[in-house]
Amino acid sequence: MNTLTYKGYIGSVSFSEKDNVFFGKIEGINGLVNFEGESVKELTDAFHEAVDDYLEYCKEEGIEPHKSYSGSLNIRLSPETHSRVAILAKQAGMSINAFIKSAVEKQIAMMM
């Protein structure tokens, strides 16, 4: 998926061939904020304006702009992967949860 980034917010980017327009939405918020443009520049400008407007709205309403997450996550793995994770976690002296948490944190650190 193509994305835009502005002020720590991510905007999804899609294209409608039928309408000949780029469009997207701000991701990771409690709400739906869309933007669109007929060129990359228009789309980028519209995304920036959408983020600025959203932040102003949140400030006026006393709303936390970022989506809150519980910290609990259910994942689905194939039975083979689940088995391999269980074995590797046991060998490392860790719970499956701690093993997966560590793996995710390492992957995030590599991508940052």
Side-chain angles (χ1 to χ4, degrees), residues 21-55:
V21 68
F22 294 100
F23 64 95
K25 68 177 185 169
I26 301 174
E27 301 291 339
I29 63 172
N30 291 319
L32 178 60
V33 179
N34 296 312
F35 53 92
E36 66 178 52
E38 292 184 4
S39 69
V40 173
K41 177 160 179 24
E42 281 184 18
L43 180 74
T44 302
D45 290 346
F47 172 58
H48 290 184
E49 184 178 340
V51 170
D52 290 339
D53 289 349
Y54 174 70
L55 291 174

Side-chain angles (χ1 to χ4, degrees), residues 87-98:
I87 291 166
L88 291 169
K90 189 68 158 175
Q91 289 173 340
M94 306 168 80
S95 67
I96 291 174
N97 189 71

Side-chain angles (χ1 to χ4, degrees), residues 32-87:
L32 178 60
V33 179
N34 296 312
F35 53 92
E36 66 178 52
E38 292 184 4
S39 69
V40 173
K41 177 160 179 24
E42 281 184 18
L43 180 74
T44 302
D45 290 346
F47 172 58
H48 290 184
E49 184 178 340
V51 170
D52 290 339
D53 289 349
Y54 174 70
L55 291 174
E56 184 61 32
Y57 169 78
C58 289
K59 183 178 177 183
E60 289 173 4
E61 298 295 319
I63 298 170
E64 173 61 39
H66 287 281
K67 184 174 184 175
S68 61
Y69 294 91
S70 68
S72 179
L73 175 67
N74 293 319
I75 62 169
R76 287 178 177 51
L77 304 171
S78 69
E80 296 80 20
T81 300
H82 192 169
S83 174
R84 292 170 73 189
V85 166
I87 291 166

Side-chain angles (χ1 to χ4, degrees), residues 92-109:
M94 306 168 80
S95 67
I96 291 174
N97 189 71
F99 183 85
I100 292 172
K101 180 178 180 254
S102 174
V104 169
E105 288 170 348
K106 286 177 185 173
Q107 183 66 31
I108 290 170

